Amino acid sequence: MSITYFEKERIFKLDTPNTSYMIGLVDEENFVGHIYYGKRLAGHEAGYLMRTQEPPFVPSKNNRERCSFYDCFPFEYPTGGLGDYRDSCFSLRTANGNVGSSLSYVSHKIYGGKPALEGLPATFGEADTCDTLELICEDKHAGIEYVLIYTAFKDTDAITRSVRIRNIGNEPFYLTKVYSACIDMDNKDFDMITLHGSWARERHIQRKTLGFGMQGATSFRGKSSHQNHPFLALVTKNTTQETGEVYAMNFVYSGNFCAQAEVSQFDSVRMAMGIHTENFCWKLECGKSFQAPEVVMVYSATGLDGMTTAFHRLYKKHLIRGEYKDKKRPILINNWEATYFNFDTEKLLSIAREASKLGIEMLVMDDGWFGKRNSDNCALGDWYVNEDKLQGGLKYLVDEVNKLGMKFGIWFEPEMISPDSDLYREHPDWAIAIPGRKATESRQQYVLDLSRPEIVDYVYERVASVLRSANIEYVKWDMNRELTDLGSYCLPADRQGELYHRYVLAVYELQDRLTKEFPHLLLENCSGGGARFDPGMLYFSPQIWCSDDADAIERLSIQEGTALIYPLSTMGAHVADCPNHTVGRVTPFETRGIVALAGTFGYELDVTKIPQADRDMIPEQVAMYHKYNDLVRQGDYYRIASYSENHQYDCWEVVSEDKKEALVTYVQVLNRPNFKSRRIYLKELDANKLYRIEGEEAVYSGELLMYAGLQVPNPWGDFQARLIHLIEA
Ligand code: DGJ
């Protein structure tokens, strides 16, 4: 068992291969305190850290300073309103308007494996890979049962947490805040790392000093968002890629979130994560439960590389599911940047014919195939094939594409409704809107009120019936706006505060139904680029479109930030046309291919129109993808240099698990005069193995390549990229 309860000391200890986490029960009132999270410890004698001998640390010894106790005790799950002035994880309002709650341990369970979380995506594992601790706690006065759920993984340095709240009282109450995880610890002079961005500029890494007070990242846009990411890492000042301590949290949820760190007056830090409180108010009837989503926690004593490896391994083995979990994905060509809305059957077939000759394996028909959708201002919701455009119908097109030896994929934006659509004309109350107030349009569309089961069923049937009508093997599920005007025509007044969360649950239900009915389908999530790239969506789709910006240079920072947490196999990446449609930059076709190779790899251009020299390069790129994709998908990723830090070049490496092979990508963004070569230091090779660089005679030892480095000749010019393939000699 990787989880032990030491009865005498009243300590729970959770172990992963290299980390330990300890929880202590304190005083007659059974407070649940956080003792330790860090490097793996052999012993557990850390109870002295609970400071139970020092007044005012336990109410039973000094109740006149109870407030001081609340305000500084390291709580595992801090509840609010009774004297802890740090931001709490939990708050409620009772039927008669009272607030305030406490939490005391009652009992616990330890068992092998991991429970599913009802209605929510979550990491999974059996007894051979993980153990679970459930701490059952109560606030008798308020009638609350809290179940704090922890799972420790045996094959990865990750611990997951979530919380289930049950109403054990005699009256309904309203949950106004239910975060999922918290770590109360001493401030080790931390820096804070978050991922920020915008449309076409997602997940850029930001590092800054952690100061007193509250800081972090949030979204209340109804989705995880372009702007912020449900991720937070606190790192010691000396932390680099390879050294230093990292405490990280990532939220397995796709809606509003709060990822926060608060430094208190006593220089302790409360790091917490959960559903954002904005417009959150969940009515909990007697006997009913509320399950909060899961947080993944990672501690690394080996810098950011250690953290990244832990997240990648966990997500590859214990989050991503389905047929494509461990499989190479078909190389696709998407017609969005090739045609936008201006296409018909013949145009798509002309792209497919050319693409199939070059080795491309799947045609994806993007936005514009349904209703009267000839621009982005109408028809969402009218999921009926536009036969003026697709002459002969969808099945004819799909069959013709299949005859070329290619698979066929299709785009949907199921969660939306255009004001100019037959669906809206028939059901104006189906949009999320404050009854009586004209709702805010964004991209000239509204969001469907998915808190209503009949709308969920309608959406599902429309999508599924299209998929049933032809041999469609891939779906790009898009979501192009944020939630505003939070109101439902159907929810009762005291449940309107449930809309945000019910919406996310419904998206999960839809994707769950879809992946169950179509188990062979390759699902790629997308949200105006990468605004919903999070572990919640990864549970349903093994890949997510990373960004609408496919410029090879912009992608360096986007993919670096994304790969800080998520495996390369999840990052939707395409070779697009130039001048690039988002930044107007012109980069070599070869560089675009090499950068996209770090993700799922595909094309997003009119292959019938690009320069012949570029077209000639596609078969080579296709061959490269087939040669390297197993390594890229399965290997361990290491960051060697970051263009966003050095402003000159970027470099990353993927090493196979057996360390017999590695692929290094080097991108020279800007050349410098009088500069012949650059030395790069490889990582995690086998020091005792000999490696040959493909295409060269010379053989180098792993230790030389790691400690003395490898000389990369100046590739000459801006935006140049090189692949260096090392194979055991
Ligand atoms: C946003 C996506 O990110 C694009 O790739 C494309 O599918 C458009 N939506 C279509 O409207």
Side-chain angles (χ1 to χ4, degrees):
M1 274 279 167
S2 54
I3 303 179
T4 317
Y5 178 52
F6 297 94
E7 203 167 343
K8 191 166 140 263
E9 297 87 350
R10 304 220 296 160
I11 285 177
F12 296 92
K13 181 163 180 275
L14 293 73
D15 293 316
T16 71
N18 300 293
T19 73
S20 294
Y21 187 98
M22 273 190 263
I23 302 164
L25 304 176
V26 173
D27 207 33
E28 290 147 13
E29 290 182 51
N30 285 342
F31 296 108
V32 184
H34 179 72
I35 303 180
Y36 174 79
Y37 190 24
K39 275 192 182 184
R40 183 163 175 158
L41 301 176
H44 64 278
E45 305 81 1
Y48 64 94
L49 291 170
M50 302 303 308
R51 299 155 81 191
T52 44
Q53 303 315 316
E54 299 168 42
F57 284 100
V58 276
S60 62
K61 297 202 179 101
N62 179 12
N63 206 26
R64 77 178 279 280
E65 275 311 333
R66 196 175 182 93
C67 186
S68 303
F69 166 78
Y70 278 131
D71 207 17
C72 67
F73 185 74
F75 287 105
E76 266 303 302
Y77 191 72
T79 54
L82 303 182
D84 181 353
Y85 290 97
R86 295 162 293 177
D87 202 39
S88 72
C89 281
F90 180 84
S91 60
L92 90 166
R93 206 180 57 244
T94 62
N96 50 18
N98 297 135
V99 296
S101 51
S102 61
L103 179 151
S104 309
Y105 164 87
V106 176
S107 64
H108 69 268
K109 292 183 205 162
I110 297 175
Y111 52 88
K114 185 171 190 299
L117 303 187
E118 205 192 331
L120 286 165
T123 55
F124 50 82
E126 302 298 327
D128 56 333
T129 53
C130 58
D131 296 317
T132 296
L133 163 69
E134 290 189 13
L135 288 180
I136 295 118
C137 308
E138 267 183 19
D139 176 342
K140 280 207 173 66
H141 178 84
I144 310 165
E145 178 189 81
Y146 309 82
V147 183
L148 311 186
I149 308 166
Y150 301 76
T151 297
F153 284 85
K154 300 175 192 172
D155 53 1
T156 320
D157 285 311
I159 293 174
T160 59
R161 286 185 61 174
S162 68
V163 179
R164 193 169 62 242
I165 307 293
R166 193 158 66 96
N167 182 343
I168 52 171
N170 304 321
E171 284 184 319
F173 55 70
Y174 297 88
L175 297 169
T176 49
K177 183 197 261 183
V178 188
Y179 284 178
S180 298
C182 171
I183 313 175
D184 270 354
M185 57 186 161
D186 279 6
N187 186 2
K188 297 185 179 175
D189 197 13
F190 285 125
D191 279 352
M192 181 178 79
I193 296 180
T194 54
L195 299 175
H196 71 99
S198 182
W199 172 75
R201 203 164 13 92
E202 296 88 340
R203 289 175 296 288
H204 283 221
I205 298 171
Q206 172 173 255
R207 177 169 177 165
K208 58 186 183 194
T209 301
L210 187 73
F212 281 99
M214 180 69 83
Q215 51 247 277
T218 62
S219 165
F220 45 91
R221 294 170 182 266
K223 58 180 175 181
S224 40
S225 90
H226 292 104
Q227 290 74 9
N228 284 304
H229 200 70
F231 164 80
L232 183 70
L234 300 184
V235 304
T236 45
K237 278 272 178 297
N238 62 345
T239 293
T240 63
Q241 283 296 136
E242 304 84 17
T243 59
E245 290 185 89
V246 181
Y247 293 85
M249 285 184 176
N250 192 197
F251 203 21
V252 189
Y253 188 63
S254 312
N256 295 348
F257 70 86
C258 190
Q260 66 188 38
E262 182 183 6
V263 180
S264 78
Q265 56 181 330
F266 304 115
D267 212 14
S268 65
V269 185
R270 172 167 290 172
M271 182 182 188
M273 186 172 270
I275 295 179
H276 200 288
T277 51
E278 174 78 14
N279 216 356
F280 175 80
C281 182
W282 192 275
K283 183 177 184 182
L284 204 60
E285 301 281 0
C286 303
K288 293 281 183 217
S289 295
F290 177 85
Q291 174 65 58
E294 173 166 292
V295 167
V296 176
M297 303 192 307
V298 167
Y299 167 82
S300 160
T302 53
L304 295 171
D305 281 345
M307 175 199 80
T308 296
T309 304
F311 277 122
H312 283 205
R313 289 191 178 158
L314 182 79
Y315 292 161
K316 281 193 225 174
K317 287 191 201 156
H318 299 286
L319 180 70
I320 296 165
R321 304 170 305 151
E323 177 152 328
Y324 285 93
K325 177 181 168 76
D326 299 314
K327 237 170 83 175
K328 212 197 274 179
R329 321 282 158 73
I331 301 176
L332 66 82
I333 184 159
N334 178 303
N335 75 308
W336 178 241
E337 289 198 5
T339 64
Y340 294 103
F341 294 98
N342 188 17
F343 63 87
D344 59 13
T345 302
E346 195 33 52
K347 179 67 211 169
L348 293 177
L349 285 177
S350 71
I351 293 177
R353 278 187 213 108
E354 192 58 44
S356 68
K357 282 191 237 154
L358 301 168
I360 296 172
E361 299 160 323
M362 177 160 73
L363 176 77
V364 175
M365 178 173 66
D366 211 279
D367 194 354
W369 56 267
F370 52 92
K372 294 193 180 63
R373 181 95 168 157
N374 292 315
S375 73
D376 62 8
N377 60 12
C378 64
L380 293 170
D382 297 343
W383 302 110
Y384 297 92
V385 176
N386 177 347
E387 298 216 3
D388 293 336
K389 268 184 170 175
L390 300 190
Q391 305 92 346
L394 180 60
K395 183 162 177 2
Y396 169 75
L397 172 64
V398 177
D399 289 347
E400 289 303 299
V401 170
N402 287 168
K403 279 185 206 159
L404 294 167
M406 294 176 84
K407 295 177 191 294
F408 185 89
I410 197 168
W411 177 98
F412 283 99
E413 195 177 356
E415 301 156 56
M416 297 294 150
I417 180 166
S418 303
D420 180 8
S421 66
D422 293 340
L423 186 67
Y424 188 76
R425 281 181 279 278
E426 204 179 322
H427 298 288
D429 61 319
W430 278 23
I432 290 181
I434 298 164
R437 176 195 282 269
K438 183 171 164 28
T440 307
E441 290 183 17
S442 178
R443 214 192 189 209
Q444 275 200 304
Q445 62 196 61
Y446 297 137
V447 184
L448 282 168
D449 178 0
L450 297 181
S451 69
R452 292 167 62 175
E454 71 275 26
I455 302 181
V456 173
D457 287 343
Y458 170 85
V459 170
Y460 183 74
E461 263 319 300
R462 285 316 317 139
V463 174
S465 63
V466 173
L467 297 186
R468 288 178 205 125
S469 73
N471 183 28
I472 298 172
E473 298 178 77
Y474 162 105
V475 164
K476 177 176 173 186
W477 181 301
D478 205 347
M479 196 272 194
N480 280 301
R481 63 158 289 177
E482 288 140 357
L483 273 60
T484 59
D485 305 85
L486 262 278
S488 164
Y489 275 86
C490 273
L491 286 173
D494 64 351
R495 288 197 180 272
Q496 290 281 343
E498 299 177 11
L499 184 53
Y500 267 133
H501 183 55
R502 284 187 183 276
Y503 178 84
V504 180
L505 294 179
V507 173
Y508 292 149
E509 184 198 325
L510 281 168
Q511 297 208 350
D512 187 51
R513 281 161 75 171
L514 196 72
T515 47
K516 282 191 174 126
E517 180 175 346
F518 304 97
H520 304 300
L521 189 75
L522 173 56
L523 184 61
E524 175 157 0
N525 268 295
C526 168
S527 180
R532 214 165 48 180
F533 198 124
D534 57 61
M537 299 318 278
L538 273 186
Y539 181 74
F540 300 99
S541 68
Q543 60 193 58
I544 302 178
W545 183 226
C546 223
S547 174
D548 275 348
D549 197 335
D551 171 69
I553 304 308
E554 293 301 313
R555 275 292 178 131
L556 297 177
S557 309
I558 296 169
Q559 293 182 185
E560 177 190 12
T562 308
L564 190 66
I565 318 171
Y566 306 105
L568 303 189
S569 63
T570 65
M571 299 195 303
H574 297 168
V575 177
D577 203 3
C578 272
N580 176 268
H581 292 202
T582 7
V583 286
R585 188 176 288 131
V586 177
T587 53
F589 200 75
E590 189 187 2
T591 299
R592 284 176 258 158
I594 287 178
V595 172
L597 214 60
T600 56
F601 196 74
Y603 292 86
E604 181 132 353
L605 38 72
D606 187 343
V607 72
T608 66
K609 286 192 181 150
I610 57 171
Q612 186 61 39
D614 290 356
R615 199 163 28 243
D616 289 346
M617 233 179 271
I618 293 180
E620 256 173 66
Q621 292 181 335
V622 165
M624 247 168 35
Y625 169 80
H626 288 301
K627 181 168 170 189
Y628 297 131
N629 186 258
D630 282 348
L631 174 59
V632 170
R633 259 187 10 261
Q634 295 160 3
D636 286 324
Y637 159 90
Y638 297 99
R639 170 92 357 217
I640 292 178
S642 160
Y643 164 62
S644 44
E645 283 171 13
N646 63 40
H647 308 297
Q648 287 179 37
Y649 72 107
D650 212 61
C651 187
W652 65 90
E653 178 196 21
V654 184
V655 186
S656 65
E657 219 177 319
D658 59 11
K659 299 190 190 286
K660 289 185 171 179
E661 202 189 355
L663 187 68
V664 178
T665 308
Y666 179 88
V667 183
Q668 171 163 289
V669 180
L670 293 179
N671 196 8
R672 302 161 80 191
N674 201 14
F675 172 69
K676 301 282 180 289
S677 65
R678 172 172 277 122
R679 201 185 284 203
I680 56 169
Y681 299 88
L682 304 193
K683 291 184 178 179
E684 295 298 326
L685 298 175
D686 183 332
N688 301 316
K689 278 196 197 323
L690 292 176
Y691 295 90
R692 192 170 55 75
I693 296 182
E694 196 186 332
E696 289 182 18
E697 288 301 315
V699 165
Y700 310 88
S701 70
E703 62 168 12
L704 261 182
L705 292 168
M706 290 192 289
Y707 313 137
L710 176 71
Q711 210 71 12
V712 183
N714 181 346
W716 188 248
D718 295 341
F719 313 140
Q720 301 296 317
R722 295 289 179 270
L723 277 180
I724 303 162
H725 186 208
L726 297 154
I727 317 150
E728 187 181 6

